[in-house]
Amino acid sequence: MLELTPKKLSDRSTLRINPIKTCQPVGAMYAALGVHQCMPHSHGSQGCCSFHRMFLTRHFKDPAIASSSSFTEGASVFGGGSNLKTAIKNIFDIYDPEIIAVHTTCLSETIGDDLNGYIQDAKVPEGKLVVHTNTPSYVGSHITGYYNMIAGFIKYLSEATGEKNGKLALFPGFVNPGDMREMKRLMKLMGTEFIMLPDTSGVLDAPMTGNYTMYPKGGTSIPDIRDLGNCELTLGLGELTSEFPADFLEKKCKVPYKTLPLPIGVENTDAFIMALNQFSKNEVPYEIEEERGQLMDILLDSHQYTNNKTVAIFGDPDTVLGMAQIALEMGMIPKYMVTGTPGAAFERKANALLEKFGVEGCTAKQSGDLFELHQWIKNDPVDLLIGGTHGKQVARAEDIPLVRVGFPVIDRYVHSYMPIVGYKGAIRLAELILNALMDRQDRDCEDEDLEMVM
Amino acid sequence: MDSRDKVLDKYSSKIYKNRKEHVIEIEAGEPQVIAADTRAIPGIMTNRGCCYAGCKGVVIGPLKDVVNIVHGPIGCAYYTWGTRRNKAKSDESTKDFTQYSFSTDMQETDIVFGGEKKLRQAIKEAVEIFNPECIMISSTCPVGLIGDDIHAVAAEAEKMYGIKVLAFSCEGYKGVSQSGGHHIANNGLMKYIIGTGDAEPQKYSINLLGEYNIGGDGWEVERILKRIGYNVVSVMTGDGSYADLKNAHTADLNLVQCHRSINYIAEMMKTKYGMDWIKVNFIGLESIKSSLMDIATYFGDPALLARTEEVIAEELDEIEEGMAYYKSKLDGKKAAVYVGGSRTHHYINLLKYLGVDVILAGYEFGHRDDYEGRDVIPSIKIDADSKNIESITVTKDEANYKTFHTPEKIEELKAAGVPIEKYDGLWNDIAEGAIITDDFNHFETEEFLKELKPDIFFSGIKDKFIVQKSGVPSRQLHSYDYSGPYAGFRGALNFAKDITMATYTPVWNMVQAPWKSEPTLVGSLGGME
Ligand code: SF4
Ligand code: SF4
């Protein structure tokens, strides 16, 4: 496996090998699927749309619907205006969504299609909506596309009517439906009234009933998106993902905002709960205290199996930071933290985390890739890998266990239903990490050292 | 109104006008014409991919000793990394790069100022790190628009590093589907690679074209061919290599599995090297048997024919009992099959053997000849979209030209039923009454599911869960749902096992919650009874 990866590091300024990021539109498509009765629409050639639908379907094992402007060479030369016009008509005719959320692709961006103009000119049936965002794939990553799409919804729909609604606007970060469910559960327990955008729970983890419906029950409703402008406060979870839309909403509707790390691990969840507490002025209910106490219990009971273990974490910036936090809380050393998404803030935040825990000798890198991470590991190995499916090659090549977390996990089931956020999520992560390390000890030790009780 | 009309009637008049040519019901009598290989309609959820997917994703991606650099923003390279199951194995002499994804990861400045410099540097780094013998560059949408001359960069790199460097202008917007990309890839391989090797010709040697080794299909086919005594010179392109491809011209015969994606090379090799090709199908017992017999008949050696019969008998013996069991479980079921540009046809006979009738079928990006047979090729109108895909002409290569048989012998073989340069298309095997839809879309999937109620649906990942959520067992025929091989005799057994499993998994009996079908309030009202 990966035999051709040399141990020796070389200067590599240009060739990207085994990336840890993908392109903007897939993030936009994911965000749009989190809006109730929304059809994500890819304005470009149909190949991109096909790839993005496949990617999402492979991760969620659930249908990911989206349409395309199906550019041909002609459209690429003369502009995609008429393709979009036709597409909008056909989508409303045949698929009857409430709203179409258009995002661009490399193609339509490079030719400079004017989406604002096209949409203004489009014939949209009474009561239906079309919104858009620009998602040039040569900028940022799928994370960028995700928050651009959220901002796109706000731009078109959210309004400050002058009358506050007493609610919290929550941007959940680039997380699974299972995480979004958990965030909602915690907010309900805290008595917080909220509007969450997007909300893919009930869409990409929709139940099997024997009847397929194109628009499942879940997703943020359009009235709720409009009402975002009347929220008291925005809470953006995942600072590198949610600051942009939070800031956008503030600029447009004067809703003040606050950002926090994704609530992965103890302290990050504490910060989330405290923020909810400050917002709703409700006491933290026993149910949450109990969960936190259980987590503390588990981490104490098991700390000897995680202490000083080294781990390489790769994936989306906020997920990696969250996973580094919980790793540090478990006494582990996040030796390598890599994201493919560009942005210096990632490295700053990772280093601040290391400083907070007084850990040295770790490397954090933005715009990295798995090829380089593998080379680092070849030179200085780790005990555990945490990240998405693509890490399985490195795991196999170097014989290191892999705990699958984040995007994409395309080779396992159930993950998208289960949270990694909140105390419950931390309990699950602790179990995953402990099982990986302890199974490994059982596998690797001599017969005489096999422990019946651990 | 029949099912076809009922479904089409739901369309607006404009779409109806377009789609009615693509959706037909098979009737007895005159051969029917279908519209195919035309533009998808904007906004309609087609299953099609793009030219790049056909070129890099399908044809050149599987070549294992090639560093495939995708020139463009990151997405396109990312999505074709390890997602197609074209298995490959390295050995001492061949490197395997298929585990890697290489991209120039273009940024905004490259779009504005051009990406050639970046591409040059990426090639340099690939050479320094991996020292490959061959590099292929595929360009994605923006590259064609900003005018990067990837062919010039390739030529320059080829000189500079003394290795083979090929460029493919397979921008996603070209053509109307993956199909254009197949053609572009075929052109490149033909122009620059096939015929550049100097291996000694071997006896009874063949090339296997359009076999991508999905789930190990190619390995299973090769195992059988080798047992009989053939020498496989090259496989295009599953587990194939640049090293083998160079010598493809030294073989005696080309076998074509996937007609859609590779018939161009077969035709061009006929013109250039005089090599005959025959259409084979290694899926399904009857098809494998007749394909193996056709190959042996072509070579005409009685010993080879006897050996072929022997191998067939042995292989059948191994699986017949299992097949009979699965047939008893599947007999009488109805299927829908909707894959790619050739695969749909490949599975019809296997399903028939298992007692399963195909009532709904189609291709994602087939051409008319894949439906109606190659005889219609001269009558296919070339539209503007197809004109954008270059068609190259090759001429006789005097030094390497050889014919295995005289023209008279070829006619004799053709008359005896050996499918030399012949492909009769899906029409040949599909039953009357079946509904065929070209470029099947999401709406039609949903509607035809309701109308025709198949027992099992074969398609790809984008439909799979839609169909399954409607309560119909659904298997992917692009990826075999990570199972396989499905080719060859043993593959047929795997297939039968998998679809039996999909149909009979205990979960189907539990989908309906008990309180949906039984009253939940038990007890009697007001002391009655
Ligand atoms: S990188 Fe661009 S061309 Fe490629 S899949 Fe993404 S949007 Fe499409
Ligand atoms: S079998 Fe179909 S999907 Fe596969 S390469 Fe051929 S045309 Fe493409």
Side-chain angles (χ1 to χ4, degrees), chain B residues 187-401:
Chain B
N187 292 347
L189 299 183
M190 191 66 204
K191 246 187 187 160
Y192 299 110
I193 296 187
I194 294 169
T196 57
D198 51 10
E200 283 302 308
Q202 294 164 293
K203 201 173 177 196
Y204 300 142
S205 57
I206 49 120
N207 296 311
L208 193 49
L209 275 64
E211 171 50 69
Y212 299 103
N213 202 29
I214 306 300
D217 272 358
W219 289 331
E220 187 52 21
V221 172
E222 264 189 85
R223 183 185 66 78
I224 298 168
L225 292 172
K226 283 182 183 158
R227 268 195 83 186
I228 295 172
Y230 297 108
N231 285 303
V232 180
V233 179
S234 73
V235 181
M236 299 180 207
T237 52
D239 196 32
S241 64
Y242 160 68
D244 290 344
L245 213 52
K246 285 193 291 190
N247 295 311
H249 64 293
T250 66
D252 297 320
L253 178 65
N254 275 333
L255 308 181
V256 174
Q257 172 74 20
C258 173
H259 175 261
R260 181 67 271 132
S261 63
I262 209 117
N263 72 87
Y264 318 97
I265 286 184
E267 264 183 69
M268 289 189 274
M269 284 182 78
K270 169 74 186 165
T271 312
K272 190 165 175 184
Y273 304 110
M275 197 182 301
D276 292 313
W277 66 268
I278 61 175
K279 174 72 180 86
V280 291
N281 179 15
F282 291 110
I283 305 282
L285 307 187
E286 294 307 317
S287 312
I288 312 171
K289 274 197 272 181
S290 59
S291 292
L292 291 177
M293 291 309 288
D294 287 339
I295 305 167
T297 310
Y298 178 88
F299 283 105
D301 177 341
L304 206 56
L305 271 160
R307 179 68 188 146
T308 303
E309 283 173 352
E310 205 175 283
V311 169
I312 292 174
E314 283 173 25
E315 296 271 339
L316 278 176
D317 195 47
E318 201 184 295
I319 59 153
E320 251 164 357
E321 202 181 314
M323 288 302 277
Y325 169 75
Y326 293 119
K327 186 176 158 84
S328 76
K329 304 291 277 183
L330 297 168
D331 200 24
K333 301 226 177 278
K334 294 175 294 178
V337 192
Y338 180 66
V339 225
S342 289
R343 233 172 240 273
T344 298
H345 186 189
H346 294 157
Y347 280 81
I348 305 262
N349 284 328
L350 176 52
L351 286 163
K352 223 183 261 172
Y353 179 91
L354 291 165
V356 181
D357 275 334
V358 174
I359 53 166
L360 175 65
Y363 295 127
E364 206 176 306
F365 45 77
H367 295 196
R368 275 184 61 201
D369 39 319
D370 302 301
Y371 292 99
E372 303 171 47
R374 286 180 68 87
D375 290 347
V376 302
I377 290 178
S379 64
I380 296 178
K381 279 196 244 68
I382 312 282
D383 62 12
D385 296 314
S386 332
K387 264 190 218 139
N388 291 333
I389 307 292
E390 190 195 7
S391 227
I392 59 169
T393 40
V394 292
T395 50
K396 197 166 167 179
D397 173 345
E398 296 293 349
N400 290 305
Y401 195 90

Side-chain angles (χ1 to χ4, degrees), chain A residues 390-445:
Chain A
H390 291 92
K392 80 193 282 182
Q393 295 175 321
V394 178
R396 186 179 166 95
E398 303 305 321
D399 197 18
I400 302 168
L402 167 67
V403 169
R404 286 170 176 76
V405 168
F407 280 81
V409 174
I410 52 181
D411 65 335
R412 289 294 184 270
Y413 292 77
V414 193
H415 54 88
S416 60
Y417 294 79
M418 308 299 276
I420 58 168
V421 300
Y423 303 120
K424 281 253 191 240
I427 289 176
R428 172 164 173 260
L429 284 174
E431 188 183 19
L432 290 172
I433 291 170
L434 282 163
N435 283 351
L437 291 169
M438 293 171 80
D439 283 351
R440 194 47 192 256
Q441 181 179 330
D442 284 347
R443 195 193 90 181
D444 292 349
C445 70

Side-chain angles (χ1 to χ4, degrees), chain B residues 49-91:
Chain B
C50 65
C51 186
Y52 160 82
C55 178
K56 195 274 178 179
V58 172
V59 182
I60 66 168
L63 292 167
K64 59 185 169 184
D65 55 353
V66 172
V67 168
N68 266 299
I69 300 178
V70 180
H71 186 41
I74 196 67
C76 316
Y78 188 83
Y79 303 115
T80 52
W81 174 24
T83 46
R84 182 155 167 270
R85 301 198 74 225
N86 41 260
K87 288 175 181 276
K89 227 189 225 150
S90 57
D91 54 43

